[in-house]
Amino acid sequence: MQAWLQDPSRLTAHIVQALNAAGLEQPFFDPAPADPAAASAVLLLLSACRHGSDRGVETCLVLNKRSRRVRQPGDLCCPGGSVSPRFDGCAARLLQWPFLPLGRWPFWGRWRRERPREAHWLALCLATALREGFEEMRLNPLRVSFLGPLPPQRLELFRRLIYPLAAWAPGPQRYRPNWEVQRVVTIPLRHLLDPGHYVRCEMQVEPPRPEPLPSRIHPAFRLGPGGGAEILWGATYRIVVSFLQAVFGFTPPAPERLPLVNAHLGEDYLTGRGAHARAS
């Protein structure tokens, strides 16, 4: 595993094969949401980056931290957004050209022959995710390599189905976040594969309300040691864990073995203009 993390070419080749093997027996497209507006596409984006002043370049997961001007402020999320079939349809067709991200994916021809309906939806989702990546952080879509799809995830707080797509961006890159993104966050893969970074997180709504919402405990990943560290939880956490399981066979420790931390959601968490406190 360590050899893969130090060799981007070997790592991405392994990811492509592992995600294809994991997806052979499960459908990518869920026809349940009749309204495409209820679907989102996101990039599980990997890149070479510099993490910390004392380290060289290493493979990292690239996430956005949502700004206070959008819903779920402060959450860490994959770049992406709502699928727009009319707007992204033309780009979806262009992505299939041999020198563009989908056309370069070695399994695209097989998907078109054997899974045409899913192939159409896959192209549309990739077009959406790349467009949103450019808008949110100025990610160059022409330099991205598509690595494969991941299982869809349903949001618990909103009526939405998320289609994650693994991708590689050569780096280190200089991202330029827009108003939706507070900052870009990178997490080394070696940290995500370290069981010591995983916790149970008790989410609480703050400040108190006349009828406070009950707290809930979620599995989570803690980015830094001790109090004040930011956490990765919810749908993005599930996307990341499904990737780690499919590619590396890694599963976080059982919840009962994890330390418990607290996190507080601002009263405007569901509507925007709020705050998301760090774990404590």
Side-chain angles (χ1 to χ4, degrees), residues 36-48:
S40 293
V42 302
L43 293 177
L44 185 139
L45 186 62
L46 303 173
S47 184

Side-chain angles (χ1 to χ4, degrees), residues 7-9 11-12 15-16 43-50 57-63 79 101 104 126 129-130 133-134 137-148 165-175 184 186 189 243:
D7 186 343
S9 297
L11 174 64
T12 53
I15 293 173
V16 168
L43 293 177
L44 185 139
L45 186 62
L46 303 173
S47 184
C49 64
R50 298 186 185 279
V57 175
E58 58 181 318
T59 300
C60 293
L61 172 67
V62 182
L63 299 172
R104 295 197 303 263
L126 184 57
L130 290 175
F134 174 77
M137 56 202 295
R138 289 299 182 263
L139 175 69
N140 186 343
L142 300 181
R143 299 189 65 198
V144 170
S145 297
F146 176 55
L147 304 178
L165 305 162
W168 173 268
Q173 291 204 19
R174 197 169 196 174
Y175 301 105
V184 175
T186 58
L189 273 187
F243 170 80

Side-chain angles (χ1 to χ4, degrees), residues 65-76 158 180 182 230 233 264-277:
K65 182 173 181 178
R66 299 172 67 87
S67 79
R68 299 184 65 178
R69 299 171 64 183
V70 297
R71 291 191 303 181
Q72 299 173 274
D75 275 3
L76 300 176
F158 305 98
E180 301 171 274
Q182 179 178 333
E230 290 186 297
W233 71 291
H264 309 280
L265 305 179
E267 61 177 344
D268 293 323
Y269 178 75
L270 299 181
T271 60
R273 304 178 306 280
H276 179 109

Side-chain angles (χ1 to χ4, degrees), residues 91-206:
R93 290 189 288 273
L94 292 176
L95 289 175
Q96 302 174 39
W97 290 9
F99 55 89
L100 292 181
L102 196 53
R104 295 197 303 263
W105 185 48
F107 299 106
W108 177 237
R110 182 175 178 180
W111 270 60
R112 292 186 67 181
R113 292 190 306 270
E114 301 177 5
R115 308 168 72 167
R117 189 181 183 195
E118 292 179 272
H120 171 78
W121 188 250
L122 176 63
L124 187 62
C125 287
L126 184 57
T128 296
L130 290 175
R131 171 179 57 78
E132 290 280 350
F134 174 77
E135 292 175 0
E136 293 176 357
M137 56 202 295
R138 289 299 182 263
L139 175 69
N140 186 343
L142 300 181
R143 299 189 65 198
V144 170
S145 297
F146 176 55
L147 304 178
L150 290 158
Q153 299 287 337
R154 292 191 180 275
L155 277 182
E156 296 180 4
L157 296 177
F158 305 98
R159 180 179 169 270
R160 187 159 293 276
L161 186 62
I162 301 177
Y163 290 90
L165 305 162
W168 173 268
Q173 291 204 19
R174 197 169 196 174
Y175 301 105
R176 290 179 290 164
N178 72 355
W179 61 271
E180 301 171 274
V181 179
Q182 179 178 333
R183 63 186 176 91
V184 175
V185 175
T186 58
I187 308 175
L189 273 187
R190 59 186 173 85
H191 288 181
L192 291 166
L193 294 166
D194 180 355
H197 283 270
Y198 289 85
V199 296
R200 290 177 297 152
C201 184
E202 184 174 15
M203 293 291 176
Q204 300 174 327
V205 175
E206 194 178 77

Side-chain angles (χ1 to χ4, degrees), residues 1-2 5 187-199 220-225 237 240-241 244 248-253 257-259:
M1 186 181 300
Q2 189 63 30
L5 297 182
I187 308 175
L189 273 187
R190 59 186 173 85
H191 288 181
L192 291 166
L193 294 166
D194 180 355
H197 283 270
Y198 289 85
V199 296
F221 175 89
R222 181 165 53 186
L223 273 66
Y237 171 88
V240 172
V241 168
L244 298 176
F248 300 105
F250 174 84
T251 302
R257 297 172 52 192
L258 297 175

